[in-house]
Amino acid sequence: MPRKAKHSDHDLVARALPMFWKRGFAATSMDDLVRGTGVSRHGIYAAFDGKQGLFLACLEAYGDAVVSPAFAQVEADGARLGAVRRYFQHQIDRAA
């Protein structure tokens, strides 16, 4: 009988996302992910079929946590030009 994973997929994504954010996909190796997440290669492959699958899960998590809420006001029923203007002003203010 296989052993139960000591990590959740959500926790693995949460630990891997900052690593990809800081170094990018190409510069983040499997060894980096193993060291940084505390999950073995086998665990990463079992959960996400490897580095690319984990990266795609990180992108999805980022979209759910950051991108979707940011666009919610623009995509809401009845949203008008003012909502678009506020969205871009918020992005400009964050960058400044």
Side-chain angles (χ1 to χ4, degrees):
M1 183 165 183
R3 285 185 278 168
K4 186 175 179 183
K6 296 178 183 176
H7 65 275
S8 73
D9 292 353
H10 175 78
D11 290 340
L12 178 52
V13 168
R15 285 180 261 162
L17 196 148
M19 299 173 70
F20 285 125
W21 183 264
K22 182 177 180 180
R23 300 186 68 202
F25 177 80
T28 303
S29 70
M30 277 298 287
D31 287 338
D32 294 332
L33 291 168
V34 168
R35 279 191 302 275
T37 64
V39 177
S40 69
R41 282 177 179 267
H42 175 75
I44 293 170
Y45 275 96
F48 296 102
D49 293 326
K51 177 178 143 179
Q52 183 173 358
L54 178 55
F55 179 76
L56 293 174
C58 288
L59 280 179
E60 185 175 341
Y62 179 81
D64 291 345
V66 177
V67 177
S68 292
F71 278 112
Q73 65 181 330
V74 175
E75 296 176 331
D77 288 340
R80 303 184 71 83
L81 186 58
V84 175
R85 185 179 299 116
R86 284 188 298 279
Y87 167 79
F88 280 110
Q89 188 59 56
H90 176 72
Q91 296 304 320
I92 291 167
D93 291 345
R94 282 185 60 207

